Amino acid sequence: MLVLRLLNVVAPAYFLCISLVTFVLQIFLFIPSMFRDPSTTPLFSPALLHGALFLFLSANALGNYVLVIQSSPEDLGKGLNLGKGAEVVADWLDGSRSPGSALPSTHFCRLCARVTQRHDHHCFFTGNCIGSRNMRNFIMFCLYTSLACLDSLVAGMAYISAALSMSFANPLAFLTLLPHSISQFFSGALLSSEMFVILMLYLWLGIGLACAGFCCHQMLLILRGQTRYQVRKGMVVRARPWRENLQEVFGKRWLLGLLIPVLNVGSDYRRQKEK
């Protein structure tokens, strides 16, 4: 449990550090290198469009990241109008009630001391549990993080291609880039900044693929009306049309939440909270 609590603190700090490094590299290294002559650059140049795209992806990823962690047991008990549920939450927190006596479709996490409706899993990178309240924001966070990493990967490869005068037309060039760069770095033929960018390329690739795969897996569970916690525990879920399952998570006005980071717009949680 001590290791998990430590990981719950280190993982968010690690994510924020990677985000800061990515932002600095994009704004101060990749994007400026795209401008050959800033005085003659047209308004809708590829460099400006790339910068606007990166800022849009980063703002959505960071905004949904913040919204994911904005959840507390007290707010959950009051917002869902659970009646005696707020007392149960208090009993859980002070230890007078065992976690096994859970409310229907809720789960108490000892790691973050939160009660989550339709609990899916505990995310160490957000330090928070994922449930009905923040599921849509979590999926949007994974989606935009994956896209931001892909954007940074492409920009980084363009920078390395220009700096080292190499081509990535051959797919094997990227696979052999790291071992070849390590040998050049220790022989003094490669700068530290260029070596750092090359390492970040593989990190962006790994994070982007992981977030994309996790997002696709999560969408598959949502279409089935299931959560990872229910699958792991072998719980039986009432069969419903996939459109209803999507609407429960994303709401009717899903397009607004796709473009800007907002709370669950039009979802069942918001309607229950307004009652």
Side-chain angles (χ1 to χ4, degrees):
M1 182 60 70
L2 180 60
V3 176
L4 294 179
R5 291 186 181 277
L6 181 61
L7 182 61
N8 203 42
V9 176
V10 174
Y14 171 78
F15 169 77
L16 293 177
C17 289
I18 294 298
S19 302
L20 180 61
V21 170
T22 302
F23 182 82
V24 171
L25 288 177
Q26 282 271 18
I27 299 299
F28 297 102
L29 186 63
F30 297 162
I31 296 178
S33 65
M34 298 179 184
F35 290 95
R36 296 183 177 181
D37 187 2
S39 61
T40 61
T41 301
L43 180 60
F44 296 102
S45 65
L48 290 177
L49 293 178
H50 169 76
L53 176 62
F54 173 73
L55 291 178
F56 171 76
L57 297 176
S58 301
N60 274 276
L62 184 59
N64 283 287
Y65 178 83
V66 172
L67 293 178
V68 166
I69 63 180
Q70 286 185 344
S71 176
S72 65
E74 294 81 4
D75 294 339
L76 185 59
K78 297 176 182 179
L80 294 177
N81 194 18
L82 297 176
K84 295 183 179 180
E87 299 177 2
V88 176
V89 171
D91 293 340
W92 272 334
L93 294 180
D94 62 19
S96 60
R97 184 184 292 266
S98 63
S101 57
L103 296 172
S105 72
T106 61
H107 173 73
F108 175 77
C109 178
R110 292 184 178 273
L111 192 60
C112 60
R114 295 177 186 269
V115 180
T116 310
Q117 187 189 33
R118 286 188 60 83
H119 175 82
D120 188 85
H121 69 283
H122 180 89
C123 177
F124 288 98
F125 285 99
T126 60
N128 195 14
C129 282
I130 307 302
S132 61
R133 182 179 184 183
N134 53 11
M135 174 60 73
R136 188 194 62 77
N137 294 117
F138 178 75
I139 294 177
M140 291 296 100
F141 161 69
C142 292
L143 174 63
Y144 280 108
T145 299
S146 177
L147 294 177
C149 288
L150 177 60
D151 178 85
S152 300
L153 176 63
V154 173
M157 292 176 63
Y159 173 80
I160 291 298
S161 178
L164 302 182
S165 300
M166 62 178 302
S167 174
F168 289 99
N170 186 359
L172 295 178
F174 184 79
L175 298 178
T176 58
L177 176 62
L178 183 60
H180 182 66
S181 301
I182 292 177
S183 61
Q184 284 190 327
F185 175 73
F186 285 104
S187 63
L190 192 66
L191 298 177
S192 301
S193 60
E194 297 172 345
M195 185 64 200
F196 181 75
V197 171
I198 292 174
L199 294 176
M200 290 298 298
L201 293 180
Y202 290 91
L203 184 60
W204 288 324
L205 177 63
I207 296 177
L209 292 178
C211 289
F214 197 89
C215 185
C216 294
H217 178 256
Q218 204 69 44
M219 286 297 300
L220 180 61
L221 291 178
I222 291 176
L223 291 174
R224 295 175 177 176
Q226 294 178 307
T227 63
R228 295 182 63 188
Y229 180 77
Q230 292 172 337
V231 173
R232 189 170 65 251
K233 295 295 183 179
M235 298 179 179
V236 179
V237 180
R238 180 172 60 90
R240 296 188 308 174
W242 62 271
R243 292 181 181 273
E244 294 184 9
N245 296 328
L246 284 177
Q247 183 175 332
E248 182 182 9
V249 175
F250 294 94
K252 294 182 178 180
R253 293 171 289 179
W254 55 271
L255 184 59
L256 178 61
L258 183 63
L259 298 177
I260 58 176
V262 293
L263 290 175
N264 291 4
V265 181
S267 65
D268 291 340
Y269 170 80
R270 298 291 293 183
R271 289 195 294 268
Q272 292 178 6
K273 188 174 181 179
E274 291 173 356
K275 290 182 179 180

